[in-house]
Amino acid sequence: SPPSTDAAPTYYGPAQQSAALSFCSIMAHASLVFNNLNETKWQNYAEVLKTKSLLSWQWLNSNPGYSHYNNAGFASANPEVSEYDQDAMKLCAAVFLFEITKVSIYKNFINSHYADIHAYQWAFWYPFEQTYQDALLRYAANPDATQSVVINILNSCTNSVSNNNNNLLPAFIQKKDAYRAYLADQDYVW
């Protein structure tokens, strides 16, 4: 410590869509968080984060496609995510960017792609895609969201949580887990 004293070799790959998508979404979300703090310095920082997110979105649109980064030649965890996850990350980024900018391009993207999320496709909301599901619910809570899309998202979530998934609301009500976060034995994948 500090990290700058680490003399081990560091490897940098080329710019990748998945990294840019993750960055875009995280910066937009962080901008929302910091903007809610009632200090000018944090609200100014929120603007910096917003700008970085917008630049990332712009780069993504100028460099369409999917990442398939090859990390052969050195040991590391797989830095890539599936094309589905890349699409889902872009949806999350659009949700946050729409909330902080009110620009219709993000709303239009959400309205065109919300039904691509597994929770909506499968009518099954579950813990392994919580980030994407939370983004859908955040959009549904936005007063500027398209009401027909809001209704579709909320109906999908309500039906899954109430009727179609014993691991969610029924497990919570039945107190199946001391932490109120029930997972079946086969779901502990780590």
Side-chain angles (χ1 to χ4, degrees), residues 62-150:
S62 298
N63 297 278
Y66 297 101
S67 298
H68 297 289
Y69 181 70
N70 180 356
N71 65 339
F74 56 93
S76 74
N78 184 357
E80 274 310 335
V81 296
S82 70
E83 292 179 4
Y84 165 78
D85 286 307
Q86 291 180 51
D87 289 341
M89 286 191 295
K90 191 164 187 178
L91 179 77
C92 291
V95 167
F96 300 134
L97 286 170
F98 177 61
E99 189 170 338
I100 60 178
T101 67
K102 308 287 189 229
V103 174
S104 62
I105 190 170
Y106 307 113
K107 181 179 182 176
N108 294 339
F109 185 88
I110 298 161
N111 292 344
S112 296
H113 296 283
Y114 77 95
D116 298 339
I117 299 299
H118 287 153
Y120 190 83
Q121 291 176 342
W122 300 340
F124 182 75
W125 293 53
Y126 72 120
F128 294 104
E129 290 190 10
Q130 181 179 352
T131 302
Y132 310 148
Q133 295 162 170
D134 285 351
L136 289 177
L137 293 174
R138 187 167 188 112
Y139 179 69
N142 187 326
D144 297 318
T146 302
Q147 285 308 299
S148 60
V149 173
V150 168

Side-chain angles (χ1 to χ4, degrees), residues 1 6 17 24 27 41 46-47 53 55 60 68 78 85 94 107 115-119 149 151 153 157 165 173 180 186:
S1 180
D6 184 356
Q17 284 78 5
C24 182
M27 293 301 107
K41 70 177 180 179
E47 282 299 311
S53 183
L55 288 170
L60 287 159
H68 297 289
N78 184 357
D85 286 307
K107 181 179 182 176
D116 298 339
I117 299 299
H118 287 153
V149 173
I151 290 167
I153 291 169
C157 180
N165 191 338
I173 291 169
R180 304 280 175 107
Q186 71 269 14

